[in-house]
Amino acid sequence: MDPLIITCAITGAETTRESQPNLPITPEEQAIAAEACVKAGASVIHLHVRDEAGKPSQDIERFRATIQAIKKRVPEVIIQISTGGAVGESIDNRAKPLTLKPEMASLNLGTLNFGDDVFYNHPKDIVGLAERIYQNDIIPELEIYEMGMLESAFRYVKKGILKPPFHYQFVLGVPGGMSGELENLLHLVRAVPTGAHWGVAGVGRYQLPLATHAILLGGHVRVGFEDNVYYKKGVLASSNAQLVERIKRLADELGREVATPAQARALIGVKNP
Ligand code: KMH
Ligand code: ZN
């Protein structure tokens, strides 16, 4: 099996300080969190930023400052910016940080109910974002919340809108998308073409079991406060790094090597180090 790429989604757009008191919000807090995650075994940071008031933001200057702060502490890490932003954010704003040419960016493959909201991803916007991602020489991570989105991705591949290398991220457990039951993950994994990489981000209580299955199945793993704030039922995680450390321990026990950022770069095919 390939070495395990651990991604940490350290902040997200929805998680609040009320639900997770140790949520990193400022560029410096995010950089400190990213450094701890990398030391614990993460090679990719999935990045959302917040404004001065702690609200989700797609402000390019905030992304620039955060990326600089992270790179100062851990120059080797792969930064994957979010083009999903927060529910309700305009597509133009969601695309803005792409001109910073991060190494990776998320690309969401469809619209879904997102808890009590709707996360809109019109086909023309998916195509537009994909074009801007490739124009900036960025590798997209394809965010898939249910089977129909994976099938949409295959249609975009056929049309040449999505180009290799392919890195599918199954985000399971969003109320409105597929739940994080093992059968759902297996259904998605069986459909992934040979040679493509996949990872799983389980939301809430699904994070740990899905991550464990992914380690065994040859997939990759995303953890972090964007998706889950708990260490175990009723116990908050003390940091993002604590969640990464557990995945590293599990991988060690299960005999799966954990990728360094350099190994992750080679596997994903990242071009903008
Ligand atoms: N905040 C969610 C609505 C991404 O980063 O691309 C979307 C999201 C996906 O977080
Ligand atoms: Zn995200």
Side-chain angles (χ1 to χ4, degrees):
M1 280 184 200
D2 290 331
L4 174 72
I5 300 169
I6 304 176
T7 297
C8 195
I10 55 176
T11 301
E14 288 78 26
T15 309
T16 61
R17 274 271 167 83
E18 285 69 45
S19 65
Q20 175 41 267
N22 296 322
L23 182 74
I25 286 181
T26 66
E28 194 51 24
E29 286 167 358
Q30 290 187 295
I32 291 167
E35 183 179 24
C37 288
V38 173
K39 287 204 169 119
S43 45
V44 180
I45 298 296
H46 172 81
L47 190 64
H48 290 253
V49 299
R50 302 292 177 96
D51 65 15
E52 290 297 329
K55 296 255 163 13
S57 165
Q58 290 295 109
D59 177 60
I60 189 164
E61 293 313 323
R62 195 68 173 197
F63 267 102
R64 196 194 309 274
T66 306
I67 291 169
Q68 272 172 8
I70 293 175
K71 287 280 177 181
K72 202 166 153 200
R73 286 178 177 269
V74 265
E76 69 274 29
V77 73
I78 298 167
I79 295 182
Q80 177 194 98
I81 61 130
S82 170
T83 67
V87 164
E89 184 61 273
S90 73
I91 287 289
D92 264 3
N93 283 346
R94 284 167 54 182
K96 275 188 181 140
L98 291 173
T99 56
L100 295 172
K101 296 186 183 292
E103 295 168 274
M104 294 185 80
S106 63
L107 178 65
N108 293 271
L109 267 294
T111 295
L112 77 159
N113 289 343
F114 207 93
D116 295 328
D117 290 304
V118 181
F119 181 33
Y120 282 103
N121 290 287
H122 192 285
K124 73 171 165 27
D125 294 328
I126 297 171
V127 172
L129 280 173
E131 280 170 5
R132 291 164 86 163
I133 286 172
Y134 292 121
Q135 275 161 12
N136 285 289
D137 249 350
I138 298 165
I139 303 278
E141 178 179 270
L142 308 172
E143 311 296 325
I144 306 289
Y145 302 80
E146 43 89 358
M147 191 66 195
M149 290 192 201
L150 185 57
E151 291 171 338
S152 295
F154 297 155
R155 280 195 297 277
Y156 290 125
V157 171
K158 253 195 190 145
K159 289 181 180 166
I161 290 162
L162 293 179
K163 301 163 202 165
F166 302 116
H167 187 72
Y168 297 97
Q169 182 72 275
F170 302 130
V171 185
L172 300 184
V174 171
M178 256 179 162
S179 79
E181 299 305 321
L182 176 58
E183 284 73 16
N184 289 342
L185 176 65
L186 293 175
H187 188 54
L188 291 160
V189 169
R190 285 188 192 113
V192 172
T194 320
H197 298 115
W198 64 270
V200 69
V203 174
R205 67 190 170 87
Y206 293 117
Q207 189 167 84
L208 181 59
L210 285 178
T212 310
H213 289 302
I215 295 170
L216 291 167
L217 289 167
H220 302 284
V221 168
R222 176 171 118 180
V223 292
F225 289 168
E226 173 165 345
D227 307 320
N228 166 48
V229 296
Y230 289 99
Y231 188 73
K232 56 184 174 186
K233 193 171 165 55
V235 180
L236 288 172
S238 57
S239 66
N240 280 290
Q242 187 191 28
L243 298 170
V244 175
E245 279 158 13
R246 173 164 59 184
I247 300 302
K248 169 84 167 66
R249 276 200 309 278
L250 282 168
D252 287 346
E253 288 293 333
L254 296 169
R256 181 104 185 258
E257 184 191 355
V258 171
T260 62
Q263 285 173 314
R265 234 175 223 110
L267 275 172
I268 298 170
V270 167
K271 291 186 202 156
N272 286 335

